[in-house]
Amino acid sequence: MSIKDIITVPDETLKKISKPVEKVGENEKKLINDLFETMYNSNGIGLAAVQVGILRRILVIDVSNKDEKKEPLSFINPIIKKVSDDTSIYEEGCLSIPDTFIEIERPKICEVEYIDIDGKVKNLKCDGLLSTCLQHEINHLDGKLIIDHLSKLKKDLIIKKISKLKKNPDRIIV
Ligand code: ZN
């Protein structure tokens, strides 16, 4: 397993649409393990393959509490089949958009069809944090980010701020 670099805005790859996985083999299993290791290392609760620069429809999630047992979930080619009319609002962050949190309203419940790590088709109905996290990650597979929920002006400001952060070298006093 290895920890991969997470790409951040304004990297254009984040806007691209990921391609479906045709067959789940050793490479896909290795990628899933790397995604988990990268996600845990960054203290994230979800990570899509595109966030490490790989445009394939694979994502991993673990919404368990830090002191609880790990509950790793991986999804290949996930498709949202149904959503509730009820909505919930979370303040969402994203490993690809440092230091930014945005309140986003999404359907409270979603039903997803996906392929698991053994290549089997599965269905999952989820609620609460898992539902929101899954919708956030599936958005990544379609090139959509949380800042796309904002006006263009606000979005540009955030990207400008992050680009500036990246250019500034570390300040040291010696
Ligand atoms: Zn994200």
Side-chain angles (χ1 to χ4, degrees):
M1 293 211 290
S2 56
I3 293 170
K4 301 210 176 265
D5 287 334
I6 295 175
I7 58 172
T8 53
V9 290
D11 194 313
E12 292 292 314
T13 307
L14 290 166
K15 291 185 191 167
K16 292 184 178 154
I17 295 175
S18 296
K19 289 196 176 73
V21 174
E22 279 166 21
K23 194 171 165 274
V24 186
E26 284 313 306
N27 286 342
E28 288 70 25
K29 287 179 187 177
K30 190 184 172 300
L31 173 59
I32 286 170
N33 284 328
D34 288 348
L35 288 174
F36 276 122
E37 200 177 357
T38 307
M39 179 185 78
Y40 289 128
N41 181 60
S42 308
N43 293 316
I45 58 169
L47 189 68
V50 57
Q51 292 179 275
V52 298
I54 297 170
L55 287 164
R56 307 196 68 197
R57 301 187 83 81
I58 295 178
L59 60 92
V60 300
I61 288 177
D62 188 340
V63 293
S64 64
N65 285 324
K66 263 186 192 154
D67 44 358
E68 282 173 14
K69 203 173 149 267
K70 281 186 176 141
E71 280 173 36
L73 296 169
S74 51
F75 299 84
I76 299 164
N77 299 345
I79 298 167
I80 295 180
K81 289 284 183 183
K82 224 171 148 186
V83 292
S84 63
D85 291 331
D86 275 2
T87 57
S88 56
I89 299 175
Y90 279 92
E91 197 174 34
E92 297 181 28
C94 179
L95 291 172
S96 294
I97 313 171
D99 304 322
T100 305
F101 291 89
I102 301 166
E103 271 190 13
I104 294 176
E105 186 175 10
R106 298 183 187 270
K108 190 171 180 294
I109 299 165
C110 69
E111 284 182 46
V112 179
E113 185 183 285
Y114 64 101
I115 297 168
D116 72 5
I117 197 163
D118 298 313
K120 290 194 184 108
V121 177
K122 293 266 175 81
N123 279 281
L124 183 71
K125 187 175 180 179
C126 48
D127 195 348
L129 181 57
L130 178 58
S131 173
T132 290
C133 184
L134 196 46
Q135 292 174 62
H136 174 126
E137 297 308 331
I138 291 174
N139 279 169
H140 271 300
L141 305 183
D142 294 317
K144 200 172 175 207
L145 300 169
I146 50 173
I147 47 175
D148 295 327
H149 289 256
L150 301 173
S151 67
K152 194 180 177 303
L153 187 71
K154 278 188 183 167
K155 184 175 157 177
D156 289 347
L157 274 173
I158 289 173
I159 292 174
K160 216 170 153 186
K161 191 187 83 187
I162 292 169
S163 308
K164 225 172 165 182
L165 277 179
K166 269 198 268 184
K167 265 181 237 143
N168 281 348
D170 289 337
R171 181 184 287 170
I172 56 162
I173 303 172
V174 277

